[in-house]
Amino acid sequence: MPPRQVSEVLDSIRNVHRQLAKRYREIERFATDERIKLLLEDMRRREDRFAACVAGYNGNKHSKVLDTWLQFVPEEVEQPDEIDEQLKVPSSLSELVEATLKLNGSLVRAYLALAKDAPTAELQELFADLASMEEHNDSHYVKALLDE
């Protein structure tokens, strides 16, 4: 991948989360199990909030950071083409949670790689915070699965 500015990377991250929310909305229409529908609705809302959070970082006070160039950007952030393939209409709550955890795990690894290679402390914190948000969502989904 060629070098990218932080603003472009954040746009890509926001796009990934928008696509996830859209996919959860699509799956929700076909789900028959009420528990799956409720979890999908929660997942969609969380992805919408995540995208809004990333969008909120694009303010003037961060303009210098947004212009920073990154040498390495993981493909999970750049090419989220597999979302539809990875998130199929689930036959069970556990199938939905497992697919989501797998997808979120790749995003967490990507965010941590960005944090590790970030040229400034502020960017390291930003990408580490994104990873933490994903991990927090994952713990919520695991809890939903355990409550099944």
Side-chain angles (χ1 to χ4, degrees):
M1 293 277 153
R4 302 277 309 268
Q5 283 187 303
V6 170
S7 61
E8 296 171 315
V9 173
L10 290 179
D11 286 343
S12 292
I13 290 170
R14 190 170 62 242
N15 184 43
V16 167
H17 289 281
R18 279 190 197 138
Q19 286 185 31
L20 281 168
K22 179 180 176 243
R23 184 62 183 151
Y24 290 138
R25 210 173 285 111
E26 291 168 355
I27 293 171
E28 192 176 346
R29 288 186 301 164
F30 297 104
T32 55
D33 184 322
E34 195 59 36
R35 294 170 307 156
I36 292 174
K37 286 182 178 188
L38 288 171
L39 186 58
L40 283 165
E41 183 181 331
D42 179 63
M43 289 172 162
R44 180 184 44 77
R45 281 196 310 265
R46 286 173 184 272
E47 294 303 333
D48 286 340
R49 281 194 303 267
F50 199 103
C53 178
V54 172
Y57 199 81
N58 284 330
N60 285 337
K61 74 177 191 174
H62 299 290
S63 63
K64 186 177 178 182
V65 172
L66 296 173
D67 292 336
T68 303
W69 287 89
L70 301 174
Q71 294 299 316
F72 167 75
V73 178
E75 69 179 37
E76 292 86 355
V77 171
E78 292 293 314
Q79 301 170 357
D81 301 333
E82 301 163 5
I83 288 175
D84 288 352
E85 294 172 24
Q86 290 183 27
L87 292 174
K88 305 237 184 257
V89 176
S91 59
S92 68
L93 191 64
S94 61
E95 187 178 305
L96 172 62
V97 171
E98 286 173 25
T100 299
L101 291 176
K102 182 178 177 183
L103 191 105
N104 285 357
S106 67
L107 291 173
V108 167
R109 286 187 297 280
Y111 299 152
L112 291 175
L114 285 165
K116 179 179 166 266
D117 294 336
T120 68
E122 185 175 3
L123 285 174
Q124 289 170 352
E125 182 179 347
L126 168 65
F127 292 122
D129 286 350
L130 292 176
S132 292
M133 286 177 68
E134 285 291 357
E135 289 170 335
H136 175 75
N137 285 345
D138 285 354
S139 67
H140 177 78
Y141 302 145
V142 169
K143 184 180 180 322
L145 186 59
L146 294 175
D147 290 344
E148 182 178 28

